[in-house]
Amino acid sequence: SQQGEEDPQALSIQEGENATMNCSYKTSINNLQWYRQNSGRGLVHLILIRSNEREKHSGRLRVTLDTSKKSSSLLITASRAADTASYFCATSVQAGTALIFGKGTTLSVSS
Amino acid sequence: DTAVSQTPKYLVTQMGNDKSIKCEQNLGHDTMYWYKQDSKKFLKIMFSYNNKELIINETVPNRFSPKSPDKAHLNLHINSLELGDSAVYFCASSQGGGGVQPQHFGDGTRLSIL
């Protein structure tokens, strides 16, 4: 069964603006990961945040995790046209079980 | 120096045929996966192998049979292909299984059943 749900399903912004995507999940997790998928390509890992962490940064990416609300957000600052892609959250319930992906948010950044 | 490579990239075939997809990773990882991504981009785990041993086998028709000759290779054989098998199949690898580490994906095999 699907664990994560991204919101919004689609997001269109201008270059230079910030993009925020949200992920909600249903059960307790071991960690939550964000991936990017460019059109016609495989998924690329962006950030992994563990259940005891609240925030992580990587370059222009900022991920937050609120385990009490069972939600996470991915913020991309100063977006570029090259950020155009689908973004997926994936949750790990416990070690040894499968990573479960959400349906993704499609981000379009226009110049 | 591609980390996770899949072949072929495209596969177009008739219903009822048998086909195989190959995957190789040069990252030294001990765990490999097969995922299926449908037309709505929903990605679902099919199988996971750790050091050649099957550890995750989701509800997948037994027409799908994975084989791992060594920990760097994980192939997927599909018998009696059906229209519903049309999808993109992704191979991935990680060091340690079960979602505790980032996974590295290949670029996918686009399977189209005529």
Side-chain angles (χ1 to χ4, degrees), chain A residues 2 30-31 33 35 37 40-43 45 48 50 86 88 92 94-99 101-103 106, chain B residues 9 35 37 40-45 55-56 58 90 97-108 110:
Chain A
Q2 189 179 334
N30 175 283
N31 69 65
Q33 304 180 32
Y35 288 80
Q37 184 178 30
R41 303 298 299 273
L43 280 75
H45 179 262
L48 182 154
R50 303 193 190 282
S86 292
F88 296 87
S92 168
Q94 64 181 47
T97 61
L99 199 59
F101 285 81
K103 289 184 178 177
T106 300
Chain B
K9 190 173 174 69
Y35 287 89
Q37 187 174 45
K40 295 183 180 177
K41 293 191 178 178
F42 180 52
L43 195 71
K44 188 168 168 30
I45 183 75
I55 57 171
I56 293 175
E58 291 293 305
F90 287 98
V100 295
Q101 293 294 336
Q103 295 184 10
H104 297 252
F105 284 75
D107 277 338
R110 283 140 193 83

Side-chain angles (χ1 to χ4, degrees), chain A residues 18-76:
Chain A
N18 295 342
T20 299
M21 288 158 266
N22 303 298
C23 171
S24 59
Y25 55 92
K26 298 173 184 172
T27 63
S28 296
I29 58 172
N30 175 283
N31 69 65
L32 185 145
Q33 304 180 32
W34 284 91
Y35 288 80
R36 183 188 75 234
Q37 184 178 30
N38 291 89
S39 180
R41 303 298 299 273
L43 280 75
V44 174
H45 179 262
L46 297 176
I47 288 184
L48 182 154
I49 186 165
R50 303 193 190 282
S51 59
N52 61 353
E53 297 175 311
R54 291 297 165 257
E55 189 171 312
K56 278 188 100 166
H57 297 254
S58 177
R60 293 183 296 112
L61 307 181
R62 173 179 168 247
V63 167
T64 62
L65 179 64
D66 187 334
T67 53
S68 66
K69 294 181 179 177
K70 292 187 171 57
S71 68
S72 174
S73 67
L74 169 66
L75 168 68
I76 304 174

Side-chain angles (χ1 to χ4, degrees), chain B residues 9-60:
Chain B
K9 190 173 174 69
Y10 298 96
L11 193 48
V12 181
T13 190
Q14 302 272 357
M15 217 165 41
N17 284 350
D18 303 338
K19 290 293 178 186
S20 292
I21 307 171
K22 295 186 176 181
C23 179
E24 175 182 4
Q25 54 96 4
N26 63 6
L27 297 167
H29 290 163
D30 60 5
T31 305
M32 296 185 72
Y33 311 83
W34 278 112
Y35 287 89
K36 178 180 181 180
Q37 187 174 45
D38 63 22
S39 58
K40 295 183 180 177
K41 293 191 178 178
F42 180 52
L43 195 71
K44 188 168 168 30
I45 183 75
M46 299 173 70
F47 303 103
S48 173
Y49 271 74
N50 178 269
N51 281 318
K52 303 194 298 175
E53 182 183 345
L54 180 66
I55 57 171
I56 293 175
N57 184 355
E58 291 293 305
T59 307
V60 176

